[in-house]
Amino acid sequence: KAGVTQTPRYLIKTRGQQVTLSCSPISGHRSVSWYQQTPGQGLQFLFEYFSETQRNKGNFPGRFSGRQFSNSRSEMNVSTLELGDSALYLCASSFGLAGGIADTQYFGPGTRLTVL
Amino acid sequence: AQRVTQPEKLLSVFKGAPVELKCNYSYSGSPELFWYVQYSRQRLQLLLRHISRESIKGFTADLNKGETSFHLKKPFAQEEDSAMYYCALEGAQKLVFGQGTRLTINP
């Protein structure tokens, strides 16, 4: 089956602008998580959506937001971009099983955002 | 709070030698632990998970709750094992990753 896809793959923006990234999960997966990857901080959790509801959020400012659509596709938005937002943004999808059952997350290739 | 520590940023071993990548965690609940791998120019992918108790590509990892560790081991390293390895802990619908260990296998 097709893997997780992310668009665009590369993006260059300037400070102060806003950006929207898109993620299409594996068919049948209802959970989408977003992560930021930087050389200094590594992989950090942004937020997770399940059935159009945000279930969990990491420690990022309110400039970072997301949403999920009824077909499970997800978007994340970053407003008022700062230089430090330059990173690889990864999304991951899973079935989103509840009840403490471990659920494998499958990652997309990422969107490389550069803020100038 | 969830926390994962990988003490080695870089690890270099010779082909055929044993490999051990260390991972320690901190979590108040019952941990679900994973090892993810990222080969050059490829996406992050699951290597193995402790709940499965399986061996993938010759790698194994045992959860030691007493030492709060989940070290990744392979008895004989191969050149294709060169990659970035991340230990991760799952809790409350999110994965917390360690900083990663870059493993290089020398011929």
Side-chain angles (χ1 to χ4, degrees), chain B residues 42-60:
Chain B
Q42 292 188 29
R43 65 181 67 188
L44 195 63
Q45 58 187 283
L46 178 69
L47 180 61
L48 55 80
R49 49 197 291 178
H50 96 272
I51 198 171
S52 302
R53 296 184 177 277
E54 57 194 344
S55 173
I56 304 294
K57 299 184 179 182
F59 285 97
T60 59

Side-chain angles (χ1 to χ4, degrees), chain B residues 22-82:
Chain B
K22 290 183 167 51
C23 172
N24 289 91
Y25 67 90
S26 174
Y27 185 54
S28 56
S30 184
E32 298 290 351
L33 287 152
F34 303 79
W35 276 98
Y36 279 83
V37 61
Q38 190 166 30
Y39 300 102
S40 179
R41 290 185 293 277
Q42 292 188 29
R43 65 181 67 188
L44 195 63
Q45 58 187 283
L46 178 69
L47 180 61
L48 55 80
R49 49 197 291 178
H50 96 272
I51 198 171
S52 302
R53 296 184 177 277
E54 57 194 344
S55 173
I56 304 294
K57 299 184 179 182
F59 285 97
T60 59
D62 290 319
L63 176 61
N64 186 324
K65 291 187 178 181
E67 295 183 359
T68 60
S69 69
F70 188 56
H71 303 327
L72 183 68
K73 299 176 184 178
K74 184 170 183 176
F76 307 103
Q78 298 173 292
E79 288 184 64
E80 54 265 35
D81 295 330
S82 293

